[in-house]
């Protein structure tokens, strides 16, 4: 039985009064001033939405105005070890705390958006399955609405991140995009003709495409899944298994690769090759014009992007050749995506493609042009050739 949440003092949320310049959505990247909004004040909906990204280890939440400017933010741990009921209590408590912060600033809350991992059925508003959080076919949106009094839009964390990258990040202006988050696991979001593909919540499990790696069993019950060789966790584990030297994560392996460590290079190349293999399959089936790589492994930038591009070039023949770039929004993407979903559910969708992101540092525009064949050609923000 799920217990009622315990009260939490209002000062547990870091609040910033809504006066310019705005606070950061998440304090992990520099800010840029928001673009000018040429609409009259009467055209902009008053109030705010609440956005919450629930991860396996932590939660990131924000109160966002219609310009996607953060007015209040919060970071809290996810009490996964205490069981699924405790996680639900923590989500409830965090939403209530953000709601209190909005009320203290005199801001009416139109809607809340919550992004969670696992299999999420957006239409049925259910968390179908989450191994990390211990949920099975949970009517999560309805439960949160009952506990908080807020209207709640439920979505998948990677799908939310992909939508945010399309609206205000690395994929601005693109219609057919594959966003791949490479962290402890690997998952993807497909945006086709400008709309995310849902498929009952099952779309995007690219981490469980079999690749010829010989890595062995996967936690999903399959074998030689992409996750077993190319996830950040797999990269770190493989290096430790080969050398007997523990590393704190894939970032250490990336640094050792750049320093010329031969074992690190072998592990890294194996991961990049497997990723290129899976992405070639995805490109053949889905024909994205743009592949956006996010998550911890993508922080290595060209150390990962260059061999993946080369691997795709070797494998693709007649297929549409996607441009491969690194994500721009980092670990804020899912929270921003939850906010976009909340405004959409409230009947006030945010169109950010024309004006760009208001709350993150903007990279230079990525020019995209098309050859007569229809293949997109571009250079990413590092200046590396796209093909």
């Amino acid at each position: 039985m799920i217990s009622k949440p315990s009260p939490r003092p209002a000062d547990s949320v870091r609040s910033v009064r809504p006066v310019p310049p705005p606070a950061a959505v998440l304090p992990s990247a520099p800010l840029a001033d928001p673009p000018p909004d040429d609409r009259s004040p009467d055209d902009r909906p008053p109030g705010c939405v609440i956005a919450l990204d629930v991860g396996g280890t932590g939660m990131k939440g924000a109160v966002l105005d219609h310009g996607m400017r953060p007015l209040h933010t919060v970071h809290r741990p996810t009490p996964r070890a205490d069981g699924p009921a405790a996680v639900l209590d923590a989500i409830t408590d965090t939403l209530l705390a953000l709601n209190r912060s909005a009320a203290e600033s005199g801001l009416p809350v139109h809607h809340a958006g919550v992004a969670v991992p696992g299999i999420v059925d957006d239409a049925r508003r259910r968390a179908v399955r989450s191994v990390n959080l211990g949920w099975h076919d949970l009517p999560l949106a309805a439960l949160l609405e009952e506990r908080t009094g807020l209207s709640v839009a439920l979505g998948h964390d990677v799908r939310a991140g992909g939508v945010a990258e399309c609206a205000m990040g690395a994929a601005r202006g693109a219609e057919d995009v594959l966003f791949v988050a490479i962290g402890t696991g690997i998952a993807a979001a497909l945006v086709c003709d400008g709309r995310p593909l849902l498929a009952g919540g099952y779309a995007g499990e690219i981490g469980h495409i079999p690749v010829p790696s010989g890595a062995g069993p996967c936690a999903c019950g399959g074998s030689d899944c992409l996750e077993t060789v190319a996830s950040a966790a797999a990269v770190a584990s493989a290096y430790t298994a080969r050398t007997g030297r523990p590393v704190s994560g894939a970032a250490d392996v990336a640094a050792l690769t750049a320093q010329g460590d031969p074992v690190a290079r072998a592990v890294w190349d194996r991961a990049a090759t497997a990723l290129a293999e899976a992405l070639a399959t995805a490109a053949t089936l889905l024909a994205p014009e743009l592949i956006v790589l996010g998550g911890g492994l993508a922080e290595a930038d060209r150390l990962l992007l260059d061999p993946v591009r080369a691997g795709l070039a070797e494998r693709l023949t007649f297929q549409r050749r996607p441009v491969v770039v690194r994500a721009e929004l980092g670990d804020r993407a899912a929270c921003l995506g939850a906010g976009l979903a909340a405004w959409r559910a409230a009947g006030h969708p945010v169109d950010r493609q024309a004006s760009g992101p208001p709350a993150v540092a903007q990279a230079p525009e990525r020019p995209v042009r098309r050859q007569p064949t229809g293949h997109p050609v571009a250079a990413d923000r590092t200046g590396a050739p796209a093909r």
Side-chain angles (χ1 to χ4, degrees):
M1 190 154 181
I2 294 172
S3 60
K4 292 291 182 182
S6 58
R8 182 92 49 124
D11 63 2
S12 61
V13 177
R14 180 169 62 84
S15 297
V16 181
R17 294 295 177 190
V19 293
V25 173
L26 301 173
S28 57
L31 301 183
D33 290 333
D37 191 339
D38 56 5
R39 294 179 301 172
S40 71
D42 291 340
D43 293 333
R44 295 192 292 268
C48 62
V49 296
I50 291 171
L52 183 62
D53 168 26
V54 181
T57 58
M59 295 182 286
K60 308 175 188 75
V63 174
L64 303 169
D65 70 8
H66 195 256
M68 297 301 287
R69 295 170 178 84
L71 310 176
H72 308 276
T73 61
V74 61
H75 288 234
R76 287 182 176 174
T78 302
R80 181 176 60 173
D82 297 332
V87 173
L88 182 58
D89 286 347
I91 295 171
T92 302
D93 192 40
T94 304
L95 291 175
L96 289 172
L98 287 165
N99 192 41
R100 284 195 301 270
S101 294
E104 289 166 2
S105 296
L107 297 169
V109 176
H110 291 277
H111 221 92
V114 178
V116 299
I119 304 297
V120 181
D121 189 331
D122 299 46
R124 294 173 57 229
R125 306 168 73 231
R126 300 180 82 91
V128 178
R129 183 177 181 225
S130 176
V131 174
N132 283 339
L133 302 180
W135 293 335
H136 179 72
D137 202 27
L138 185 72
L140 183 56
L143 286 171
L144 293 174
E145 287 178 343
E146 178 184 349
R147 288 163 151 247
T148 65
L150 297 166
S151 298
V152 175
L154 182 66
H156 183 257
D157 56 353
V158 174
R159 217 155 38 235
V163 169
E165 288 287 351
C166 287
M168 50 198 300
R172 289 188 305 281
E175 290 290 308
D176 302 314
V177 179
L178 185 67
F179 170 69
V180 184
I182 312 167
T184 304
I186 302 177
L190 174 67
V191 175
C192 184
D193 296 329
R195 296 186 177 187
L197 179 65
L198 304 179
Y202 286 87
E205 292 295 335
I206 193 171
H208 300 286
I209 290 180
V211 292
S213 64
C218 177
C220 74
S223 184
D224 293 341
C225 293
L226 178 64
E227 267 189 19
T228 64
V229 64
S231 67
V235 166
S237 296
Y239 182 82
T240 297
R242 292 189 184 198
T243 64
R245 298 192 298 270
V247 291
S248 61
D252 287 355
V253 182
L256 289 165
T257 300
Q259 294 165 13
D261 183 306
V263 177
R265 168 57 68 183
V267 169
W268 194 264
D269 287 349
R270 182 172 175 243
T273 298
L275 189 58
E277 187 79 27
L279 292 177
T281 299
T284 301
L285 289 172
L286 306 171
E289 63 187 297
L290 188 68
I291 294 176
V292 180
L293 300 184
L297 212 66
E299 293 301 310
D301 208 351
R302 292 186 62 174
L303 190 68
L304 179 68
L305 295 180
D306 285 351
V308 168
R309 289 189 183 112
L312 275 174
E314 291 172 3
R315 289 165 173 80
L316 299 182
T317 54
F318 68 91
Q319 300 94 328
R320 186 187 210 181
R321 290 175 178 262
V323 177
V324 180
V325 299
R326 183 161 69 100
E328 289 181 9
L329 301 181
D331 64 358
R332 302 173 309 283
C335 185
L336 290 169
L340 292 169
W343 277 118
R344 188 167 56 250
H348 303 291
V350 178
D351 180 9
R352 301 306 318 176
Q353 290 193 4
S355 56
V360 293
Q362 250 181 284
E365 284 295 321
R366 184 190 65 257
V368 177
R369 60 184 175 83
R370 294 185 182 278
Q371 292 180 325
T373 59
H375 291 165
V377 180
D380 82 338
R381 60 198 181 91
T382 66
R387 299 171 54 181

